[in-house]
Amino acid sequence: MIRYILKRLVLMIPTILLTSLLIFWAMSLTGGDPVMTILPENATVEQQEALREEMGLNDPFFVQYFRYVKGIVQGDMGESYVTRLDVFQTFMGRLPMTLALGGTALIFSVIISIPLGIWTALNQNSWKDTAGMIFALFGVSMPNFWLGLMLVLLFSLTLGLLPSGGSGGVRYLVLPALTVGLGLAALITRTTRSSMLDVLRQDYMTTAKAKGASRRRVIYRHGLRNAMIPIVTAVGMQFSYVMTGSALAEKVFSWPGIGLLVADSITKRDTPMVTGSIILCCILMAIINLMVDIIYAYCDPRIKAQYSRKG
Amino acid sequence: MKKLFALLLAVAMLMSAAVSFAEVDPANVQETLVIGTAQDVNNMEPYMQNDQINNNVICLTHQSLIMLANDASETGITYMPMLAKEWGWEDDNTLVFYLRDGVHFSDGTLMTADDVVFTYETAMDPSSHISGVLSLITSVEARDDLTFVIHTSAYSNELTSNIASKSLSILSRAAYESGMDEPYLIGTGQYKLKERVEGQYVELERVEDYWGIGYDSGDDYGWIIAPGNAKTVIFKPILEAASRVIALQNGEIDVCIDPPTTELQFLEDDPNVTVLEAPGTRLFYFGFNCEKAPFDNKTLRQAVASAIDKDTILQVVLSGKGLTQNTVLNRGVWSFYNEDDLGAYTYDVDRAKELMAEAGVNPGELTVDLYSATDDPYKTIAPIIQANLAVIGINVNIVSLDQATLKSECQAGNHQIFLWRWNVLDRLDEVYSELFSTGFATNYHHFSDPYVDEMAVEILTQKDESIRYDESVELQKYLAEESPQVPLYVANLVIAYRNGLSETYLFGGGNHNWAHAYIDLSAK
């Protein structure tokens, strides 16, 4: 198992290199000139050219790219064009905020969605199933910036219970986590339901019942555990998404997370911040996926055995 | 009635410079003032930035030699003393500033002319972002501890404007030489930085032993250097406009910068909130690339100018909260001239069609690209102009670009027509030279006219004010006739705040000074 983890970690290196190349290339294709972002608008042509030269922007693409990669290898991801802050430190400063939001949203969604998914599967084709699926449809369809604003109107402006945005404590986390979590809960509910429906039809479930196991034991011990693989996959994928793609919710709630950082940096053509953040997001996603794989092994001993054989 | 009250309040607030701020009872001052902004502060190093949001913070922590007045058109006084008590040209190449005595930085050290020399030499270094606008300065010196001298290659009417800029806030040489982190944070202002959390807030605390406490300025401008009132001032970025409005109504912030016009009705109905609306200075305009066909044809430019319906644009973009204008100079700048005899080509479709015929362009035969930024208000203006030009038979493709790309493309001359904006507070040459003179990087019109070049220099150096005024008006008329640009509108300054906000010093373009602002609890 440990060898498998190490192998996966080593495989991350070419993935990161390829990602950095793609991002660097994509940023170069977007046109525009970073110097225009950095200098005041009325800077002279000479000033612009001097800065371009100083930053190496006149060098060929691959020279610029290799200089960037060299910097990364030496632990230097560069400085933001806009804030002049270190890219790595800025990203790491935002990471705890995103982890807090993503983690809370995920916990909230799992608490709601797995019981709801099981409940709807056990009551397939009944009104309970329909009600659960309407909730899931609502959650999936609702744009989270709209949902966020509605929650702010209700809980913040009308009831005055929670702050409308910003950060600073648990109270500030409730509304953004609810906004992101509802969307996640809907997806996980659907996955749980369909996975449970598959498992409930299996012969071993009938056998378990025939052996006199309690309904609770049949569902949770024999059913849920076997249904967990697709659920863990969905949770892992959604967590990756939340960690890197909650820009809209973060904007509505002024939550200073990674999504907002990347979106804002793209708008300002802050190339070092965009490239560095996406590379770090890529590493983050690779780690989350690795964690999901490890959880697979604990859910299903057959997978663990497979990892051990492959080494 | 409510609108009338708001208007009177706006005028009163903008005129606040004309009178000294009243004595403040500390018992009525809310300890913390929270300002909700549309952007995050990104750089607090004065000479390495020129963003409005940064300037709003820097003017609390730092001071420059002189300060720009926000009501020059009413009072005739453009600059007021700040760290310098007097200044003037000794001859055409020497500008002298006499500094106030007893000014201290927030770390307690005394400010002298040597610190001013250090600041200017730092700002004049080619690596500084503002060195370009200081190219006229050949050297600076400290004649004595309280006399600072600028030597220039020529006389300029506009140099004082740069000196009033926040980017030339005075820095401490000792702080830089001490090797401390972020020495640029040491200023002479009423506040000092307590904490900056990137993406979350900037918190400033009042300097309790501020040098201006009880200071006798010896002139009418003591209020400029008076101590701050609120104990703490926080700038909090709330990027989403609707969220910013809710935060104000909810009492989480005291001031909401740039509330969206679509939300103003909710704010106006809120008894705890006041909406301030006042004339702005930021001009949004439509421009031509004049060196490239087909818009090297002046008559065609005049035809297009006559086809653009500015009133509709203003109504759609800002629900009418602004003023359309015809001259290229920004509203509020000295010698602004927007009268009927300007001779501008205003909305008249029949005339536009006649001019099209005169230009030799048949309806339907011309297709052009309109370069426009992807954000507001450009993305809203562009389709209206597309529809306006379709009426006279010009097909327009809208090319949406991010702002940095748009600027690069326009500078390179790859465009035909474009949408942009220009914010000028007081400098005429920022318009005449930077937008219309040959060779300037921001002359996106690629307009090159010896008469304009010559007049821009003449207006920059003419010492007789009445002659200079006439020349400026003449140049505005000339540019209206040449039509390298179609000025569209100036958006109103709109700010919403909790009742009781006092002692603000606001500018139509957004470079506000919050150094004395506070919430008066007795007026809430």
Side-chain angles (χ1 to χ4, degrees):
Chain A
M1 187 70 186
I2 290 169
R3 283 185 66 192
Y4 173 77
I5 293 170
L6 287 173
K7 194 173 158 187
R8 286 285 298 269
L9 289 173
V10 171
L11 278 174
M12 277 167 64
I13 295 169
T15 312
I16 291 162
L17 279 174
L18 189 63
T19 308
S20 67
L21 180 62
L22 284 173
I23 298 302
F24 218 81
W25 178 63
M27 289 303 286
S28 73
L29 283 184
T30 54
D33 186 349
V35 165
M36 294 297 203
T37 305
I38 300 167
L39 288 178
E41 198 165 352
N42 54 4
T44 60
V45 175
E46 292 76 25
Q47 260 187 309
Q48 292 174 7
E49 188 48 38
L51 185 60
R52 221 170 269 131
E53 194 58 39
E54 185 191 319
M55 293 170 65
L57 296 172
N58 291 330
D59 294 337
F61 171 80
F62 278 105
V63 173
Q64 291 187 45
Y65 174 68
F66 283 116
R67 189 166 48 227
Y68 182 73
V69 172
K70 191 178 159 194
I72 292 180
V73 172
Q74 292 170 344
D76 176 13
M77 298 195 94
E79 217 177 53
S80 158
Y81 287 161
V82 179
T83 63
R84 304 188 71 209
L85 296 173
D86 182 82
V87 168
F88 182 74
Q89 282 176 8
T90 306
F91 185 91
M92 295 313 280
R94 299 253 183 153
L95 184 61
M97 304 302 292
T98 296
L99 280 172
L101 173 60
T104 313
L106 196 73
I107 291 168
F108 167 74
S109 63
V110 166
I111 289 172
I112 292 181
S113 60
I114 294 184
L116 186 62
I118 296 168
W119 185 63
T120 49
L122 293 175
N123 296 285
Q124 194 190 7
N125 299 329
S126 70
W127 68 267
K128 294 172 187 170
D129 186 24
T130 309
M133 285 304 97
I134 287 173
F135 163 76
L137 190 65
F138 174 83
V140 170
S141 318
M142 207 56 57
N144 65 11
F145 65 88
W146 181 86
L147 180 64
L149 284 174
M150 292 303 109
L151 291 174
V152 168
L153 276 178
L154 178 64
F155 290 103
S156 185
L157 196 59
T158 309
L159 301 175
L161 293 174
L162 294 164
S164 66
S167 54
V170 176
R171 290 179 71 238
Y172 289 85
L173 191 55
V174 177
L175 291 184
L178 206 61
T179 304
V180 177
L182 269 177
L184 295 186
L187 283 161
I188 300 171
T189 302
R190 284 162 59 140
T191 308
T192 306
R193 177 181 176 274
S194 70
S195 183
M196 276 302 283
L197 284 174
D198 273 352
V199 170
L200 289 173
R201 294 188 192 108
Q202 299 298 319
D203 291 343
Y204 56 78
M205 294 296 283
T206 314
T207 309
K209 280 181 211 162
K211 284 171 76 180
S214 68
R215 178 178 159 81
R216 191 185 181 84
R217 188 177 170 84
V218 169
I219 291 167
Y220 290 100
R221 176 89 183 165
H222 299 278
L224 184 60
R225 189 153 184 198
N226 283 299
M228 277 309 277
I229 295 292
I231 299 170
V232 169
T233 308
V235 171
M237 281 177 65
Q238 291 306 311
F239 189 56
S240 302
Y241 164 74
V242 172
M243 292 302 289
T244 55
S246 303
L248 281 176
E250 287 178 2
K251 190 170 181 190
V252 169
F253 293 102
S254 300
W255 188 261
I258 291 166
L260 192 55
L261 176 71
V262 175
D264 202 30
S265 304
I266 290 171
T267 315
K268 291 174 180 159
R269 273 196 60 76
D270 189 352
T271 311
M273 190 60 85
V274 174
T275 315
S277 299
I278 293 179
I279 289 170
L280 291 166
C281 284
C282 173
I283 295 172
L284 201 63
M285 289 185 82
I287 291 171
I288 293 169
N289 287 338
L290 180 61
M291 284 164 66
V292 169
D293 284 353
I294 294 167
I295 295 170
Y296 282 168
Y298 285 96
C299 288
D300 190 340
R302 288 170 300 184
I303 294 176
K304 192 176 182 179
Q306 213 175 7
Y307 287 159
S308 304
R309 273 202 305 277
K310 281 181 182 172
Chain B
M1 189 63 192
K2 198 167 181 178
K3 279 189 177 167
L4 179 66
F5 174 72
L7 185 68
L8 288 172
L9 195 66
V11 172
M13 289 191 80
L14 282 173
M15 290 289 287
S16 57
V19 291
S20 300
F21 289 144
E23 195 72 25
V24 177
D25 179 0
N28 289 333
V29 176
Q30 182 178 293
E31 270 206 357
T32 303
L33 176 72
V34 185
I35 300 168
T37 62
Q39 283 176 294
D40 189 17
V41 173
N42 56 58
N43 193 336
M44 290 184 64
E45 201 168 358
Y47 59 92
M48 291 303 282
Q49 62 78 43
N50 200 20
D51 283 6
Q52 203 164 77
I53 178 64
N54 302 331
N55 286 336
N56 272 231
V57 176
I58 288 170
C59 70
L60 273 80
T61 55
H62 292 71
Q63 291 161 326
S64 33
L65 295 179
I66 55 175
M67 179 177 161
L68 180 67
N70 65 1
D71 58 348
S73 50
E74 282 88 21
T75 63
I77 296 166
T78 310
Y79 304 105
M80 301 176 293
M82 204 171 200
L83 293 178
K85 57 184 179 184
E86 284 171 9
W87 66 95
W89 288 87
E90 268 186 357
D91 55 53
D92 280 359
N93 302 98
T94 315
L95 180 59
V96 183
F97 290 85
Y98 301 97
L99 308 182
R100 292 189 192 279
D101 196 5
V103 176
H104 287 81
F105 288 104
S106 57
D107 63 356
T109 55
L110 188 68
M111 186 210 78
T112 66
D114 184 51
D115 293 297
V116 185
V117 168
F118 171 75
T119 302
Y120 276 69
E121 284 178 345
T122 307
M124 286 157 60
D125 187 274
S127 63
S128 149
H129 286 187
I130 57 159
S131 60
V133 296
L134 300 176
S135 56
L136 206 63
I137 301 178
T138 52
S139 65
V140 290
E141 63 165 317
R143 194 174 280 170
D144 58 49
D145 274 357
L146 296 176
T147 313
F148 169 66
V149 183
I150 295 177
H151 298 287
T152 66
S153 55
Y155 172 83
S156 165
N157 284 312
E158 313 286 21
L159 185 60
T160 37
S161 172
N162 292 322
I163 287 159
S165 116
K166 306 289 186 298
S167 301
L168 275 173
S169 296
I170 303 307
L171 304 167
S172 160
R173 183 192 288 271
Y176 274 80
E177 288 177 353
S178 72
M180 69 182 290
D181 285 341
E182 304 181 314
Y184 50 84
L185 293 177
I186 305 297
T188 60
Q190 288 88 343
Y191 290 83
K192 60 183 176 184
L193 181 73
K194 185 177 180 191
E195 192 176 27
R196 175 186 169 197
V197 182
E198 192 269 327
Q200 296 184 49
Y201 60 86
V202 170
E203 184 174 348
L204 307 173
E205 63 181 349
R206 194 170 54 196
V207 177
E208 294 304 340
D209 56 351
Y210 170 63
W211 65 272
I213 297 172
Y215 192 93
D216 179 11
S217 69
D219 53 36
D220 294 338
Y221 298 101
W223 61 271
I224 294 174
I225 52 171
N229 292 307
K231 194 174 177 190
T232 308
V233 178
I234 297 172
F235 289 85
K236 188 175 179 183
I238 304 178
L239 309 188
E240 177 62 36
S243 305
R244 208 158 55 244
V245 167
I246 291 171
L248 177 70
Q249 290 188 283
N250 216 17
E252 293 164 40
I253 58 174
D254 300 306
V255 182
C256 172
I257 304 286
D258 292 337
T261 50
T262 47
E263 309 273 338
L264 288 184
Q265 190 59 50
F266 300 113
L267 291 171
E268 282 166 353
D269 291 343
D270 189 327
N272 300 313
V273 170
T274 304
V275 177
L276 169 82
E277 211 179 306
T281 57
R282 189 182 294 266
L283 173 65
F284 289 86
Y285 66 83
F286 170 90
F288 302 97
N289 181 347
C290 301
E291 71 174 359
K292 202 167 154 183
F295 295 110
D296 53 350
N297 179 338
K298 182 170 93 177
T299 314
L300 180 60
R301 296 200 297 265
Q302 292 165 342
V304 170
S306 306
I308 294 177
D309 182 359
K310 299 175 190 180
D311 290 328
T312 299
I313 291 172
L314 182 64
Q315 197 56 42
V316 173
V317 174
L318 286 174
S319 309
K321 293 192 181 298
L323 292 165
T324 58
Q325 76 168 54
N326 301 320
T327 184
V328 296
L329 202 60
N330 295 64
R331 194 169 285 274
V333 176
W334 180 80
S335 76
F336 171 80
Y337 193 82
N338 200 41
E339 306 303 319
D340 288 343
D341 67 342
L342 179 73
Y345 290 80
T346 51
Y347 186 50
D348 182 340
V349 175
D350 293 336
R351 192 181 183 202
K353 286 177 178 170
E354 285 167 23
L355 286 164
M356 277 279 281
E358 201 180 309
V361 180
N362 296 320
E365 75 176 21
L366 186 61
T367 299
V368 293
D369 290 338
L370 169 61
Y371 279 39
S372 164
T374 46
D375 37 6
D376 274 327
Y378 313 101
K379 67 179 182 190
T380 312
I381 300 173
I384 301 173
I385 287 181
Q386 186 182 43
N388 284 163
L389 299 195
V391 173
I392 59 167
I394 297 178
N395 306 310
V396 174
N397 296 322
I398 297 170
V399 181
S400 296
L401 303 163
D402 69 84
Q403 292 203 3
T405 309
L406 179 84
K407 287 190 272 184
S408 299
E409 291 292 301
C410 288
Q411 198 178 92
N414 296 331
H415 60 311
Q416 291 174 302
I417 47 178
F418 66 104
L419 286 171
W420 198 231
R421 49 99 185 100
W422 202 242
N423 189 24
V424 173
L425 298 176
D426 62 325
R427 275 176 52 205
L428 298 179
D429 73 322
E430 231 173 323
V431 175
Y432 298 145
S433 299
E434 292 180 12
L435 290 189
F436 301 108
S437 291
T438 309
F440 275 80
T442 39
N443 180 355
Y444 298 156
H445 307 284
H446 294 263
F447 188 67
S448 182
D449 184 320
Y451 173 73
V452 173
D453 294 351
E454 190 187 314
M455 285 295 281
V457 175
E458 166 63 20
I459 291 166
L460 188 65
T461 53
Q462 175 56 253
K463 290 175 189 163
D464 186 313
E465 208 162 85
S466 66
I467 296 175
R468 191 171 174 238
Y469 183 90
D470 292 343
E471 287 171 344
S472 177
V473 171
E474 270 316 300
L475 188 53
Q476 287 172 70
K477 289 181 178 176
Y478 183 80
L479 287 166
E481 172 65 20
E482 288 293 315
S483 300
Q485 177 189 106
V486 184
L488 298 174
Y489 66 86
V490 171
N492 282 350
L493 163 73
V494 183
I495 288 183
Y497 50 85
R498 308 286 295 172
N499 296 344
L501 181 69
S502 306
E503 298 202 5
T504 54
Y505 199 77
L506 307 176
F507 287 86
N511 278 307
H512 310 308
N513 188 326
W514 302 99
H516 304 99
Y518 70 101
I519 296 286
D520 183 350
L521 297 170
S522 65
K524 254 187 141 176

